[in-house]
Amino acid sequence: MSRVVLRAAAVLLATAIVLAVVLLTPLGNRGLVIHAVEVGAVAAFLLVLVAALRSSLRTVEPSPFEQALEGSRAQAPKRVPQLAQLEREVGMGIANAFDLHHRLLPTLRETAAGLLSARRGIDLETHPEAARAVLGEDAWELLRPDRPAPVDRRARGADLASVNRTIAALEAL
């Protein structure tokens, strides 16, 4: 606020100097200059009033609306690290056969084994035919324990639709 007051004082001082010069000079239209100086003085006075009003309305703590607005900006949704890891595994499993076989499929098999055991009482390793019947052919093709390692490690991995069908079969358990 002190900066605004200093500016207003400077404007008043300048208008006073202009007024003194005009009054001491016999030439020119004094009435018009006096009105201009009056407008400058009123503008400086209004500037001081607005600054005082603004500083008086400023509160120490933000309003509940401002707090809620800040909270929504500050709290970005946090990603679960396991979800990010699964997304990477799916991306790599689609990209090449090596990552499909050594990264994505072990995670999917572990999930399938846990779900089959807990919800159906089926062990994926010891009762593969029962697991195959429950999972369906598409999911079984990816999840079967005896699936051979890929010959060409850089070959394309599974297609996204196949992975989606496998995940849907696991969710249906």
Side-chain angles (χ1 to χ4, degrees), residues 16-86:
I17 291 172
V18 169
L19 181 61
V21 168
V22 167
L23 290 177
L24 294 175
T25 307
L27 301 174
N29 189 357
R30 286 187 180 174
L32 181 63
V33 173
I34 290 173
H35 287 297
V37 170
E38 288 172 348
V39 168
V42 169
F45 179 71
L46 287 176
L47 181 66
V48 170
L49 282 179
V50 167
L53 180 64
R54 186 176 183 191
S55 68
S56 70
L57 292 177
R58 194 174 303 245
T59 58
V60 175
E61 68 180 54
S63 70
F65 176 76
E66 290 170 334
Q67 288 175 353
L69 188 60
E70 278 300 316
S72 68
R73 289 180 189 155
Q75 296 175 352
K78 295 182 180 176
R79 292 186 50 120
V80 179
Q82 292 87 351
L83 178 60
Q85 179 184 355
L86 282 172

Side-chain angles (χ1 to χ4, degrees), residues 96-127:
N96 66 58
F98 177 81
D99 288 322
L100 172 69
H101 187 76
H102 292 287
R103 293 181 193 265
L104 180 59
L105 292 184
T107 301
L108 289 176
R109 279 192 199 110
E110 181 181 342
T111 302
L115 290 172
L116 285 169
S117 176
R119 296 183 180 171
R120 302 290 174 108
I122 300 171
D123 184 60
L124 183 65
E125 298 287 331
T126 59
H127 298 95

Side-chain angles (χ1 to χ4, degrees), residues 93-98 150-158:
I94 292 170
N96 66 58
F98 177 81
V151 176
D152 182 8
R153 299 171 72 157
R154 288 177 276 155
R156 180 141 171 87

